[in-house]
Amino acid sequence: MKNAMKIGLVGLTSILSVFLLVPAGFGAQDDAQAQRTMSLQEVKDRLNQNKVHLEDVKKRGKAGDAAGVETALQNYDRNMEGINRAMSSGRFEGNEAQREEAFDRVEKATRKHGEVLSDLSGKVPEQARPAIQRAMENSQKGRTTALSNLERVRSVRQEREQAEMRQQQQMGDVHGRPDGMGRPGGAGGSANGAGGGMGAGHSAGAGGGASAGRGPR
């Protein structure tokens, strides 16, 4: 009996040690890795969800439901953290235009969210105010990152468009010149050739006339 209890105690200790050795953020790390790549549609969906979460914060704040406010803000933070990770790692799916639209949408949405959260900070139960502060920080981080990415994408696009315009102008300058201008064997060469032909014809004509004026002796 004592041996059985001892074995059971050892087994329980082993199981507990396994749980203690697993990092607390292990599941969160897996979620972070899974959300490193994000599409434009997912950005739209998350921003729309956050709009709903903030409406929930307003409603629960008026009712004095501190726990409900905190839950809604946790959902908001989860969405924003996913977007922030994707923007920070530059792993947005889609083409250049879609990425630019995603950054633009995040910047505009987080600007509005920041205003809403700032207004709510004095209207929710005091217990929920730290959660409001965290949400404001996540929102501001998202806006700052979105602006930085947006400026970079637009700068690259502008440089490419300017390079294309310069190339088109250069091609237009080349095709717009008169044929043969400034090139060897062009208009100048044709003039020389014409002069040579005229000289040869004149000499032939002169020689023929002189021979025709002489009779046989």
Side-chain angles (χ1 to χ4, degrees):
M1 182 71 178
K2 290 182 179 181
N3 290 335
M5 291 179 62
K6 184 177 181 181
I7 293 172
L9 182 60
V10 170
L12 180 60
T13 304
S14 300
I15 293 171
L16 289 174
S17 64
V18 170
F19 280 107
L20 290 173
L21 289 172
V22 174
F26 185 75
Q29 289 175 358
D30 285 346
D31 181 67
Q33 292 296 328
Q35 297 298 338
R36 288 182 68 84
T37 302
M38 191 173 294
S39 66
L40 173 60
Q41 185 58 52
E42 188 174 0
V43 171
K44 292 178 181 179
D45 292 342
R46 290 197 176 214
L47 292 176
N48 286 333
Q49 290 169 4
N50 275 354
K51 185 176 179 180
V52 174
H53 293 324
L54 291 182
E55 290 296 327
D56 197 25
V57 172
K58 287 182 183 179
K59 181 176 67 176
R60 294 181 181 277
K62 288 180 180 179
D65 181 3
V69 169
E70 290 179 340
T71 299
L73 290 172
Q74 286 172 1
N75 292 330
Y76 177 91
D77 288 339
R78 188 177 298 110
N79 276 341
M80 275 311 308
E81 286 168 1
I83 292 174
N84 290 345
R85 282 194 299 268
M87 287 193 299
S88 298
S89 62
R91 294 288 298 276
F92 270 103
E93 295 177 1
N95 55 33
E96 183 184 40
Q98 290 171 329
R99 290 196 300 272
E100 183 175 350
E101 182 180 349
F103 297 140
D104 187 54
R105 283 178 176 272
V106 173
E107 190 278 324
K108 290 177 179 176
T110 50
R111 188 196 324 150
K112 293 178 181 178
H113 295 172
E115 294 171 356
V116 171
L117 288 165
S118 178
D119 182 62
L120 287 172
S121 62
K123 298 179 180 179
V124 298
E126 187 173 356
Q127 179 185 344
R129 288 178 186 175
I132 287 278
Q133 184 62 37
R134 284 194 301 272
M136 290 177 66
E137 291 171 359
N138 278 327
S139 180
Q140 182 58 44
K141 180 180 178 181
R143 183 165 183 247
T144 301
T145 308
L147 278 171
S148 176
N149 281 282
L150 194 59
E151 289 174 359
R152 183 167 61 252
V153 168
R154 287 176 174 172
S155 177
V156 170
R157 176 168 53 81
Q158 186 177 9
E159 289 176 2
R160 186 183 65 251
E161 290 174 351
Q162 290 175 349
E164 290 173 354
M165 287 179 62
R166 287 193 298 268
Q167 186 177 7
Q168 290 175 358
Q169 289 174 353
Q170 290 172 358
M171 291 177 65
D173 290 343
V174 170
H175 292 300
R177 294 176 182 173
D179 291 341
M181 289 297 292
R183 286 182 287 181
S190 297
N192 292 335
M198 288 174 63
H202 180 72
S203 299
S211 299
R214 293 179 183 176
R217 291 184 180 176

